[in-house]
Amino acid sequence: MIKLLFSKEALISSLFFLLMFSPNFFMQKRPGDDASYISHAFIIALDGDLNYDNEPADDLSKDETLPVHPIGSGILAAPFVFVFSIIDNIIGNPILKDHNHYLGSWSLFGFIFSVHFLFFLGIIFYIKSFRLLKILNKELCLIILIVFSSTIPHFVLKRYFFSHVFEFFSISLLFWLIVSLYQNASADKPKRLYYFLFGISLSLNLFVRYSNINLLLLAPIVFLTMDICKKGSNNKISSNNSLKAILPISLVSILPNILFYKLVYGSFFPLPSKIYNNDFGLESGSITETLGIIFNRIPFIVNIIFGSEMGLLYTNPIIPIG
């Protein structure tokens, strides 16, 4: 049954179904958040620079250098935008000279295609992770239940210009790499490629959403949890050695993010005042005031994690672990 559902034919048919029957807004202007993410993808795929003068973005950072929303979604969508922009180049679509003319373009279609494609790929990575862990026999049913009882389909079928699906994919990739590293460590088969991809994936997650810094804890939590669940000292020693390698790799992997923040925002950290032109009381306030803001959120933690609208447990079940 699982092989049937995830055959190449089934995946292609499902992707075609989503593209054909979801409400695609190719002829409707996309302001606000949508314009920011579109602009990131266009600037990388079509221009190869960070000059946003001819972009549709209308919500810029404090010094108006780039849109306030994270650039990671644009990084992931850019390859697809580039491929479909070849058609725009052939037919002479004006988007290539001025990205504000994106309505009805194949470049815009490439962005939407990337959302659907990465959504399926994210599901596949979660399934591969559960199979490696061998903790569930019905991993396909569980993942489908989690995904389709959540708000993720809303961001696949309607609000696809947002970053939610890109975050869903990037975290699923990171989780699969962590599980693969654990399994290789337990079998005493270290693979440098997995370490390299792990570092890239972690950095990519921080580009997709700047607040994903908590994902630095995901690898230690997965490794320590699996060590507790497994018996035998040999596996434990081997995984500990691999974990020691992951920690410095994690620190090195976020260097591109830190350098990006410094070059673009003038700060080594994504400060709200630099990005949103508003510190929301987190910078100008005293430590007591800042802690007060944090503690005032505590009563809402249950809703943040388990809420039926945007609950993290449903929209991205791996995040609450971190």
Side-chain angles (χ1 to χ4, degrees):
M1 182 65 177
I2 293 177
K3 290 183 179 180
L4 177 63
L5 287 174
F6 280 88
S7 64
K8 293 181 180 178
E9 294 79 7
L11 286 174
I12 294 173
S13 300
S14 300
L15 186 60
F16 176 79
F17 179 85
L18 280 178
L19 289 170
M20 290 299 295
F21 297 102
S22 60
N24 296 314
F25 303 107
F26 295 118
M27 301 303 296
Q28 190 177 83
K29 285 284 186 179
R30 312 306 303 175
D33 298 26
D34 302 42
S36 292
Y37 295 121
I38 293 172
S39 296
H40 284 315
F42 286 172
I43 201 73
I44 297 172
L46 305 181
D47 292 348
D49 57 30
L50 291 178
N51 184 356
Y52 288 82
D53 289 343
N54 68 332
E55 297 298 331
D58 53 11
D59 193 4
L60 301 178
S61 59
K62 183 177 181 179
D63 56 3
E64 299 189 350
T65 53
L66 75 167
V68 299
H69 302 88
I71 197 173
S73 298
I75 294 174
L76 286 169
F80 300 90
V81 173
F82 174 78
V83 170
F84 283 97
S85 72
I86 296 174
I87 303 177
D88 285 327
N89 190 36
I90 294 173
I91 63 179
N93 195 302
I95 185 178
L96 298 179
K97 294 183 178 179
D98 187 351
H99 301 169
N100 288 288
H101 300 299
Y102 60 85
L103 295 182
S105 68
W106 282 98
S107 298
L108 183 65
F109 176 83
F111 189 103
I112 298 172
F113 183 90
S114 72
V115 172
H116 298 319
F117 182 84
L118 294 177
F119 169 66
F120 278 112
L121 205 55
I123 293 177
I124 291 174
F125 277 128
Y126 276 127
I127 289 177
K128 290 172 68 70
S129 300
F130 279 111
R131 287 179 178 174
L132 284 173
L133 292 173
K134 298 179 181 179
I135 57 176
L136 291 169
N137 294 323
K138 302 295 182 180
E139 67 275 2
L140 175 62
C141 298
L142 175 68
I143 292 171
I144 288 178
L145 177 64
I146 291 175
V147 170
F148 288 96
S149 64
S150 71
T151 58
I152 283 296
H154 172 71
F155 296 100
V156 177
L157 300 172
K158 188 175 181 180
R159 300 309 302 271
Y160 31 70
F161 294 112
F162 279 27
S163 63
H164 295 69
V165 172
F166 297 103
E167 184 181 25
F168 175 82
F169 162 75
S170 59
I171 293 181
S172 72
L173 173 62
L174 178 65
F175 185 63
W176 172 68
L177 288 168
I178 291 172
V179 172
S180 298
L181 283 170
Y182 180 85
Q183 293 295 83
N184 289 333
S186 298
D188 198 22
K189 296 179 180 179
K191 293 187 177 180
R192 294 178 181 178
L193 178 61
Y194 283 97
Y195 285 116
F196 177 72
L197 293 176
F198 165 79
I200 293 179
S201 178
L202 183 58
S203 178
L204 181 61
N205 271 279
L206 295 182
F207 276 123
V208 171
R209 199 176 294 275
Y210 299 150
S211 58
N212 275 349
I213 191 68
N214 60 335
L215 291 175
L216 285 169
L217 301 175
L218 184 59
I221 289 176
V222 170
F223 271 64
L224 295 175
T225 301
M226 293 308 299
D227 273 345
I228 292 173
C229 295
K230 279 193 172 185
K231 295 181 179 180
S233 59
N234 290 335
N235 285 340
K236 196 166 186 178
I237 294 174
S238 181
S239 64
N240 282 341
N241 290 335
S242 185
L243 184 57
K244 290 178 182 178
I246 282 180
L247 295 178
I249 291 174
S250 298
L251 296 177
V252 172
S253 67
I254 65 174
L255 288 178
N257 304 81
I258 295 174
L259 292 175
F260 175 80
Y261 302 147
K262 180 62 178 177
L263 291 174
V264 174
Y265 301 117
S267 170
F268 289 113
F269 301 97
L271 300 175
S273 61
K274 299 287 187 179
I275 301 174
Y276 304 105
N277 200 21
N278 188 335
D279 68 359
F280 303 102
L282 296 174
E283 298 174 48
S284 59
S286 64
I287 296 179
T288 303
E289 292 172 331
T290 302
L291 291 176
I293 294 174
I294 296 174
F295 288 137
N296 285 335
R297 303 292 192 275
I298 292 178
F300 304 101
I301 287 180
V302 174
N303 187 53
I304 291 172
I305 298 177
F306 301 102
S308 60
E309 293 185 2
M310 298 290 177
L312 293 178
L313 182 65
Y314 310 115
T315 56
N316 229 317
I318 298 302
I319 291 181
I321 298 177

